[in-house]
Amino acid sequence: MKEAASSYSAQDVEAEVRQYWDDEDVYRRVKTLREGATRFFFVDGPPYTTGHIHLGTAWNKIIKDAVLRRERMRGFDVVDRAGYDMHGLPIEVRVEHELGFTSKKDIEDYGIAEFVERCKTFALDHKDIMSEQFRQLGVWLDFEDPYQTVSEEFIESAWWVLQRAEEKGLLERGHRVVNWCPRCETAIADSEVEYWDEADPSIFVKFPISGRDGEFLVIWTTTPWTLPANVGVAVDETFTYARVKAVRDGAEEILWIAGDLVESVLRKGRYQDYTVLETHPGSDLVGITYESPLAAAVPAQKEIAHRVVAAGFVEMENTGMVHIAPGHGWDDFLLGIAEGLEVFCPVGGDGRFTADAGIFEGLAVRDANEEVLGALDEYLLAKETIVHRYGHCWRCKMPIIYRATEQWFIAIPAIKEEMLGEIARVAWYPEWAGSARFHDFVADARDWCISRQRYWGTPIPVWVCDACDARRVFGTIAELEDASGAVLEDPHRPYVDEITVPCACGGTMRRVEDIFDVWFDSANASWATVGFPRRREEFEALWPADFITEGQDQTRGWFYSQLGASTIAFDRAPYRSVLMHGFALDAEGRKMSKSFGNVVSPEEVVAKFGVDVLRLYLLSANAPWDDLKFNWESVTTVNRAVNILWNVYRFPLPYMILDGFAPECGENGRWEAGYVLANHASMPVEDRWILSRISSLAAAVEKDLQEYQLHRATRGLITCILEDISRWYVQLVRPRMWLEEDAPEKTSAYETMYYVMRRLVQLLAPFTPHITEAIYRNLRTDADPASVHMLDWTAGDGCLIDDALERAMDTVRAFDDAVATARQAGRRKLRWPVAQTVVVTGDEEVAGAIEGLRALCEARANSRRVEVVRDRWERIGWRAEPVMRGIGPSFGKEGPTVKALIEQADGNLLKAALEEKGEATVGEGDAVYTITAAHVTFEEQLPADVFAAPMSGNATVYVDVALDDDLEAEGYAREVIRRLQEMRRQLDLRVEDFITVDVSVDDARVAALLAGDWQDFIMQEVRASSISLRASGGAAGATAADLRKEWDVEGITMVMAVSARQ
RNA sequence: GGGCCCGUAGCAUAGCUGGUGGUGCACCCGGCUGAUAACCGGGAGGUCGUGCGUUCGAAUCGCAUCGGGCCCA
């Protein structure tokens, strides 16, 4: 054992520990230690390899690390392979940016091979940067060999699943409306769409009804550019629609508008007057045909048979009639299929109109809005601007469009019931994450569009014959190489695109150009992480995962994609238990974002307070599943707790070292808590108490962790350090630390303190791995495991738990508080002894606790005697209070005299007389009055020097602060001692050093009080080899002293001189 | 527009199987001090987001509404 630094420096401690872990390869050794034990299969949700980690990413990995460190301590051989998500559009966009590209054409001109190579380099570089950042957070995952979605092995696992989907008939190719980014020129998933407010035109348009001149259907839209693709109008069959004659500037026209909306629509169109001619249910309108108002501008529109159809999604808003363009809307598309409407989509992948769009050809769709409005001419009934939420590409932030395209889908609805059944079998923390949130999400799930028209991703392993259109899905690279006769060096584009396969029909099969949605990559993590399908043993032994944990955003992300892929492949969920955690927000509960400037980086916190404080803060601040509102003040508070842990740890070290203390060990030389387990029955009561507390704490921590109540576990630990160890046990045990002789009480104190620290670091190790390692390494015996992280987990020593003692000690602490309050009221400092302290209570448990722990109470209260009185303490007197309401009627104008007499009377005598005879007399001579209970009430009266304070638990504490010579002498002696100790400290003396002392007191009486026994007491307490204590004015004190100070002690000047003994 | 979660003193948080609202930090006053840029006691500070309802009684249950977050449309 070495002494510890006098103040905790996170930087020093953590750097040293990290150095030790590196030098000794501790992480590997911990893993080796558990090899061969029961496996615990954890799967890391792969962060995307772009940019740096933020507080949320840090929180995520810290939760994982805390859980896994504990599982290792519990004896499991933990599968802890880190993972990275490395394909996809975000990286493509970053690389495009670096190269100054603006379109897919730029990429193709540059060369797909070169482009993909740059994407790969980007992903690999950022993977390494992030691994280093995670390591800096003390995260022990396997970053040496992480699974990477770009690896051949991983790609193969995705292929294998797609082949299963094909076998089950779940893989579909179809013409669908998808979210389309016109800049990236690809379909993007619903989950890749970000919404924010955008200003758009809000227009009301007249569609001329066929064969009825001057009669129109009125529709509303915010996307004028979709009008060239209009093929129908939807109505609700049950709504009432009005046929209205409307007048504007003298001209009349007939308009169809939903009845309730006529007024508002016509006002927007600035019509001066109108008459409702007739009303009809929507069902009557179905089948009406109309012409496109853009027929002149878009020739293709002339060929389209426009008609009114019924739909369930129409709402009583705007005009109650919905413009239908199946090529540009999801609902429109489904309705179009159902109604046999044409799917017309005159927009290309670049977001520009094609030749089918007539005069609009070549225009980017959103830019074409103005042109369309112009072409509408008199058909435009009204135009406003609306600000509404509109979707944008998550990477390039361009507004998305909806576009009907050829895509690949997984038919999720076909396996939805199975997925819901699996959700119910998984253990969710919290429960509602699965039963409510995830369940509802999956219940609404639609087909999953898995294809993207991009370059950097897992290629979709589908080959289609250019002659007969037959298709083949390859599940492994070997299978593809077999069929093609070619060797695939790299499964990425463009290499894989070069592979052709002969078709049975004699034609040639070529790969479809698409790549997978990145979510389809990470969906395979649970089997790819153990090398499936190439290697099967691990998979069969381990899968599905025992535990995963990710943020609530992954409900629609990784929790979902994994469940989907796993249901396709194995008909079951890929995880047994899931902890869903919250989001890291700023102090105001707002999302951290660069544009708000409210981002707090993990590095910032680490630089100020260290990794352990960051970890303990993140884990204790709130429940894992609640959003975390980052708060610097709370971080400071946690920092304080960690500092106190350090202080508590270092407090006994100098004494232990001085005494050459070594904890009692087993025959193998390891510490096994042998001393306390064997001797606890005979140990001092405060030792037994703290041993019980630590054991109870361990049991509580265990229970909390079983439910992933990480915040409760960590808060329990922090509270124990602060309340039980620092504020109580250390205070109680302190005197025993400097007992000179080899006393059994001292051994007991050392063994207890040692036990407390050993158990504490064991329980804290998963959460604050550095400081616990530093403490453990200093405390461990040579035969003990080298690292705290090699220890076995503990749920506490049940045999040390003594509930009754814990309750009794709670009572003593309440007593301690009450004494302090009473002393404060009596203005008697704790340093000054008092003669008597009395606890008045009718509560036998309180009485028993005080009496059972009387010596402790006396020491804490600095009281010569502590007594319990069951009913009434005889020293509490009664003060008589006159009752004027009774005195007035009885004594008339003598009332004030009686009042004064009662106030002066001895309340105790008065009360006794009244209780005995029912009446009493006050006054003397001629003025004697007889009073009864009607004239007086009694209040408690404390003797002059007694002060009271209520104590929780039906008790009151009374402290008699009166001084006699002896008490006063001790008080002054303690005042002198405290100041001499302060001087020792200023001289920076070691605990074992002796001093010589000279004290001159500017008060002869006090100097006399201190002479004799008290002088010896002072010598002993301050470790003085000689002392000269006298009244000042006599011979001058020694002139030479290491330190001389003049003190004001309770108004008396004392000059003290201290020298270290040579 | 829908689903889920959160909303308690200046800040953070406990209580949420209904019975007079706790704790920590910060603040003010006092004390202690051989852990000492620690520690202890006391005090002040709350419309438990808002409204309505159920109940003898609601922070706690129900409905509505507002604000924040994640997700979906």
Side-chain angles (χ1 to χ4, degrees):
Chain A
M1 268 183 248
K2 298 178 306 203
E3 291 208 26
S6 66
S7 69
Y8 171 67
S9 159
Q11 271 65 31
D12 294 349
V13 168
E14 289 172 5
E16 198 184 318
V17 167
R18 201 168 295 124
Q19 188 68 49
Y20 165 66
W21 287 348
D22 288 347
D23 291 349
E24 304 285 324
D25 203 11
V26 176
Y27 166 63
R28 287 286 153 203
R29 286 170 64 191
V30 168
K31 293 193 59 134
T32 307
L33 179 70
R34 303 303 181 188
E35 248 167 40
T38 307
R39 310 289 293 274
F40 182 88
F41 183 25
F42 164 76
V43 180
D44 185 29
Y48 196 81
T49 47
T50 186
H52 289 240
I53 66 169
H54 55 261
L55 201 63
T57 331
W59 188 20
N60 169 275
K61 279 290 198 287
I62 286 167
I63 290 172
K64 290 172 179 173
D65 187 57
V67 169
L68 296 188
R69 280 180 189 270
R70 172 167 173 271
E71 296 300 346
R72 288 191 203 99
M73 290 176 83
R74 288 177 73 204
F76 289 104
D77 180 1
V78 174
V79 177
D80 60 4
R81 198 174 185 197
Y84 286 102
D85 198 4
M86 302 165 77
H87 279 141
L89 203 45
I91 290 175
E92 286 198 47
V93 171
R94 291 278 289 262
V95 171
E96 279 186 85
H97 219 76
E98 283 171 15
L99 296 170
F101 292 173
T102 57
S103 72
K104 278 164 85 168
K105 188 166 176 304
D106 293 336
I107 297 170
E108 308 227 341
D109 290 348
Y110 179 74
I112 295 174
E114 291 74 13
F115 183 75
V116 163
E117 199 50 47
R118 289 193 74 124
C119 289
K120 187 173 185 180
T121 304
F122 184 100
L124 291 171
D125 289 351
H126 284 79
K127 176 204 69 158
D128 292 339
I129 291 170
M130 291 171 79
S131 288
E132 188 46 38
Q133 289 178 320
F134 291 137
R135 283 198 186 99
Q136 291 295 321
L137 295 174
V139 174
W140 274 7
L141 294 179
D142 186 354
F143 291 112
E144 300 268 302
D145 177 32
Y147 73 80
Q148 303 176 46
T149 58
V150 298
S151 71
E152 194 172 277
E153 204 175 68
F154 200 100
I155 286 172
E156 205 165 44
S157 66
W159 283 17
W160 188 84
V161 171
L162 197 72
Q163 195 179 49
R164 298 288 79 70
E166 174 75 340
E167 282 169 9
K168 286 188 171 179
L170 296 170
L171 176 63
E172 294 175 1
R173 178 185 211 178
H175 207 60
R176 300 286 172 88
V177 168
V178 293
N179 307 299
W180 186 270
C181 174
R183 195 214 70 88
C184 301
E185 296 187 48
T186 180
I188 57 177
D190 290 342
S191 57
E192 293 168 334
V193 178
E194 286 183 1
Y195 292 85
W196 64 77
D197 281 349
E198 198 73 61
D200 273 316
S202 161
I203 61 168
F204 294 78
V205 182
K206 298 184 290 186
F207 285 179
I209 295 175
S210 305
R212 297 198 218 168
D213 210 20
E215 191 164 344
F216 307 89
L217 303 169
V218 183
I219 64 93
W220 170 83
T221 183
T222 58
T223 50
W225 64 267
T226 59
L227 290 173
N230 174 272
V231 302
V233 166
V235 295
D236 187 296
E237 289 185 290
T238 64
F239 289 176
T240 299
Y241 290 86
R243 183 165 175 266
V244 181
K245 182 167 80 179
V247 183
R248 180 165 61 178
D249 304 333
E252 283 184 6
E253 53 196 18
I254 308 291
L255 303 175
W256 286 86
I257 300 168
D260 295 348
L261 301 165
V262 171
E263 186 79 38
S264 72
V265 173
L266 295 185
R267 198 180 313 119
K268 289 182 206 295
R270 303 186 188 289
Y271 287 82
Q272 287 90 23
D273 196 13
Y274 74 91
T275 318
V276 174
L277 302 175
E278 52 193 301
T279 59
H280 291 271
S283 51
D284 287 1
L285 278 66
V286 172
I288 291 176
T289 59
Y290 64 91
E291 310 297 332
S292 167
L294 293 171
V298 184
Q301 272 287 348
K302 290 178 189 152
E303 310 303 320
I304 293 168
H306 305 85
R307 62 185 162 93
V308 175
V309 292
F313 56 75
V314 178
E315 297 195 32
M316 189 54 88
E317 287 171 354
N318 301 304
T319 71
M321 296 190 183
V322 175
H323 142 61
I324 299 296
H328 292 298
W330 177 252
D331 286 334
D332 309 47
F333 181 81
L334 291 181
L335 184 64
I337 297 293
E339 294 285 342
L341 297 172
E342 187 171 341
V343 177
F344 182 48
C345 182
V347 176
D350 57 358
R352 294 176 183 278
F353 281 111
T354 61
D356 283 344
I359 65 164
F360 304 117
E361 180 181 358
L363 289 173
V365 292
R366 287 180 66 88
D367 298 342
N369 277 340
E370 278 305 313
E371 315 287 331
V372 172
L373 294 181
L376 283 171
D377 197 21
E378 83 264 27
Y379 294 108
L380 183 62
L381 183 147
K383 172 180 178 284
E384 299 177 323
T385 298
I386 188 176
V387 174
H388 62 158
R389 280 162 65 76
Y390 194 84
H392 301 76
C393 173
W394 67 324
R395 289 321 307 172
C396 72
K397 311 303 179 192
M398 282 280 285
I400 56 152
I401 61 176
Y402 297 101
R403 188 165 168 266
T405 54
E406 192 78 3
Q407 300 290 348
W408 293 87
F409 295 88
I410 300 287
I412 293 291
I415 54 171
K416 190 184 286 182
E417 286 308 315
E418 201 183 340
M419 289 168 74
L420 292 174
E422 286 301 305
I423 291 172
R425 291 178 32 173
V426 172
W428 295 90
Y429 301 93
E431 188 273 337
W432 50 259
S435 68
R437 194 181 168 125
F438 193 35
H439 177 276
D440 291 357
F441 176 79
V442 172
D444 286 345
R446 304 190 305 211
D447 283 351
W448 177 7
C449 174
I450 55 166
S451 50
R452 297 290 183 274
Q453 291 69 51
R454 295 295 304 189
Y455 309 96
W456 178 234
T458 299
I460 290 183
V462 178
W463 270 253
V464 177
C465 177
D466 52 15
C468 70
D469 210 37
R471 77 181 187 214
R472 227 180 127 174
V473 179
F474 291 96
T476 64
I477 289 169
E479 207 178 300
L480 174 65
E481 289 179 337
D482 264 5
S484 66
V487 174
L488 185 58
E489 299 281 353
D490 182 335
H492 284 100
R493 293 191 69 186
Y495 318 104
V496 69
D497 299 334
E498 291 157 12
I499 308 280
T500 59
V501 177
C503 181
C505 77
T508 302
M509 298 183 118
R510 293 176 203 287
R511 197 184 76 83
V512 304
E513 284 202 345
D514 299 348
I515 59 171
F516 276 114
D517 170 10
V518 281
W519 289 105
F520 199 85
D521 284 6
S522 55
N524 303 288
S526 68
W527 45 89
T529 199
V530 289
F532 185 87
R534 284 199 186 173
R535 299 193 305 276
R536 300 202 169 230
E537 325 76 57
E538 286 254 287
F539 172 80
E540 273 153 23
L542 296 174
W543 197 87
D546 289 305
F547 174 71
I548 64 171
T549 178
E550 300 300 332
Q552 50 182 301
D553 55 329
Q554 297 304 329
T555 302
R556 64 109 197 245
W558 197 53
F559 298 161
Y560 176 69
S561 66
Q562 283 200 99
L563 178 62
S566 184
T567 305
I568 291 165
F570 306 107
D571 295 302
R572 67 161 300 180
Y575 33 70
R576 290 192 167 95
S577 69
V578 181
L579 169 62
M580 184 192 81
H581 66 76
F583 247 62
L585 311 172
D586 76 0
E588 274 74 54
R590 308 186 76 119
K591 194 173 171 172
M592 285 190 186
S593 85
K594 284 187 189 135
S595 52
F596 280 137
N598 62 350
V599 176
V600 176
S601 73
E603 293 90 339
E604 214 176 319
V605 183
V606 170
K608 286 196 175 106
F609 298 106
V611 172
D612 283 343
V613 170
L614 171 66
R615 291 175 59 116
L616 194 56
Y617 167 70
L618 289 173
L619 295 170
S620 67
N622 52 8
W625 40 85
D626 283 342
D627 289 342
L628 177 99
K629 285 199 251 177
F630 184 85
N631 184 279
W632 278 108
E633 244 176 48
S634 304
V635 179
T636 310
T637 306
V638 171
N639 180 54
R640 192 158 304 167
V642 172
N643 266 291
I644 291 170
L645 168 65
W646 186 261
N647 282 338
V648 165
Y649 148 66
R650 77 183 187 85
F651 151 71
L653 290 179
Y655 311 107
M656 290 179 169
I657 292 165
L658 209 57
D659 285 334
F661 167 75
E664 194 174 299
C665 293
E667 283 176 15
N668 54 13
R670 297 188 171 200
W671 177 79
E672 285 158 348
Y675 183 92
V676 300
L677 291 174
N679 298 298
H680 80 272
S682 60
M683 287 166 74
V685 68
E686 60 265 28
D687 294 355
R688 278 188 282 127
W689 172 77
I690 194 69
L691 294 172
S692 175
R693 278 300 305 137
I694 292 288
S695 304
S696 302
L697 171 72
V701 166
E702 169 66 18
K703 186 167 167 293
D704 292 337
L705 291 181
Q706 277 170 11
E707 296 160 1
Y708 295 105
Q709 306 258 18
L710 304 178
H711 60 310
R712 290 199 182 169
T714 46
R715 286 173 186 180
L717 285 160
I718 291 171
T719 305
C720 178
I721 294 167
L722 264 44
E723 300 289 333
D724 297 332
I725 304 175
S726 171
R727 291 177 191 167
W728 195 245
Y729 182 70
V730 166
Q731 306 306 324
L732 299 184
V733 81
R734 192 180 251 159
R736 278 196 267 151
M737 287 285 158
W738 54 86
L739 290 176
E740 291 287 343
E741 65 279 24
D742 209 7
E745 307 95 278
K746 190 163 70 176
T747 305
S748 178
Y750 286 167
E751 287 281 2
T752 302
M753 214 41 222
Y754 188 85
Y755 176 93
V756 166
M757 289 315 299
R758 283 292 300 261
R759 282 286 180 259
L760 201 55
V761 294
Q762 196 175 5
L763 293 167
L764 275 167
F767 313 111
T768 53
H770 304 88
I771 188 173
T772 50
E773 183 79 310
I775 295 172
Y776 173 78
R777 297 247 305 138
N778 193 30
L779 297 180
R780 65 181 274 274
T781 70
D782 291 341
D784 278 329
S787 164
V788 72
H789 305 290
M790 293 174 182
L791 296 178
D792 289 335
W793 182 250
T794 178
D797 296 309
C799 62
L800 296 179
I801 294 177
D802 182 343
D803 285 329
L805 176 57
E806 289 193 36
R807 279 200 307 278
M809 194 62 91
D810 284 343
T811 300
V812 174
R813 294 172 82 172
F815 166 81
D816 191 53
D817 290 351
V819 167
T821 308
R823 275 177 168 270
Q824 196 168 328
R827 307 185 66 78
R828 180 70 70 224
K829 295 194 275 189
L830 190 54
R831 198 149 53 226
W832 288 68
V834 297
Q836 186 184 28
T837 301
V838 172
V839 177
V840 176
T841 183
D843 185 326
E844 275 311 308
E845 192 170 349
V846 172
I850 302 294
E851 286 173 339
L853 300 170
R854 187 189 306 273
L856 183 57
C857 292
E858 286 173 352
R860 291 299 302 173
N862 192 13
S863 178
R864 296 284 164 84
R865 290 191 314 283
V866 170
E867 289 156 50
V868 174
V869 172
R870 293 302 200 282
D871 38 37
R872 181 155 198 88
W873 187 29
E874 76 284 353
R875 288 191 62 198
I876 297 174
W878 294 103
R879 191 179 68 233
E881 287 271 334
V883 178
M884 289 314 287
R885 193 182 300 150
I887 293 169
S890 303
F891 301 101
K893 64 178 186 231
E894 304 287 350
T897 311
V898 176
K899 171 173 180 271
L901 286 169
I902 289 175
E903 281 169 345
Q904 290 155 19
D906 182 326
N908 295 342
L909 295 177
L910 209 55
K911 187 161 190 286
L914 278 173
E915 278 167 3
E916 198 182 322
K917 295 180 290 199
E919 58 176 47
T921 58
V922 291
E924 288 178 320
D926 296 342
V928 172
Y929 303 93
T930 301
I931 59 168
T932 66
H935 306 124
V936 64
T937 61
F938 296 92
E939 294 217 338
E940 260 186 22
Q941 173 143 47
L942 298 177
D945 289 320
V946 172
F947 293 85
M951 177 178 146
S952 55
N954 309 321
T956 306
V957 171
Y958 298 88
V959 180
D960 182 351
V961 303
L963 295 173
D964 57 22
D965 282 354
D966 186 46
L967 292 170
E968 198 177 1
E970 183 180 342
Y972 277 111
R974 286 175 181 260
E975 293 284 2
V976 170
I977 289 165
R978 205 219 107 203
R979 286 167 175 82
L980 292 172
Q981 298 290 23
E982 171 65 20
M983 292 172 76
R984 277 190 72 116
R985 202 169 64 76
Q986 287 180 19
L987 287 170
D988 209 18
L989 299 179
R990 292 158 22 114
V991 288
E992 68 270 27
D993 291 339
F994 280 93
I995 54 173
T996 58
V997 173
D998 181 278
V999 180
S1000 75
V1001 181
D1002 192 19
D1003 184 308
R1005 191 183 68 89
V1006 172
L1009 280 175
L1010 286 171
D1013 288 351
W1014 292 113
Q1015 185 170 316
D1016 296 343
F1017 176 65
I1018 294 168
M1019 275 181 74
Q1020 188 186 330
E1021 287 292 307
V1022 304
R1023 211 174 168 84
S1025 55
S1026 73
I1027 185 164
S1028 154
L1029 200 160
R1030 67 216 136 60
S1032 50
T1039 47
D1042 292 344
L1043 183 64
R1044 179 185 298 275
K1045 272 181 100 78
E1046 185 178 303
W1047 298 92
D1048 176 1
V1049 180
E1050 305 286 295
I1052 296 165
T1053 302
M1054 296 191 190
V1055 177
M1056 304 185 192
V1058 173
S1059 293
R1061 195 184 62 172
Q1062 299 307 313

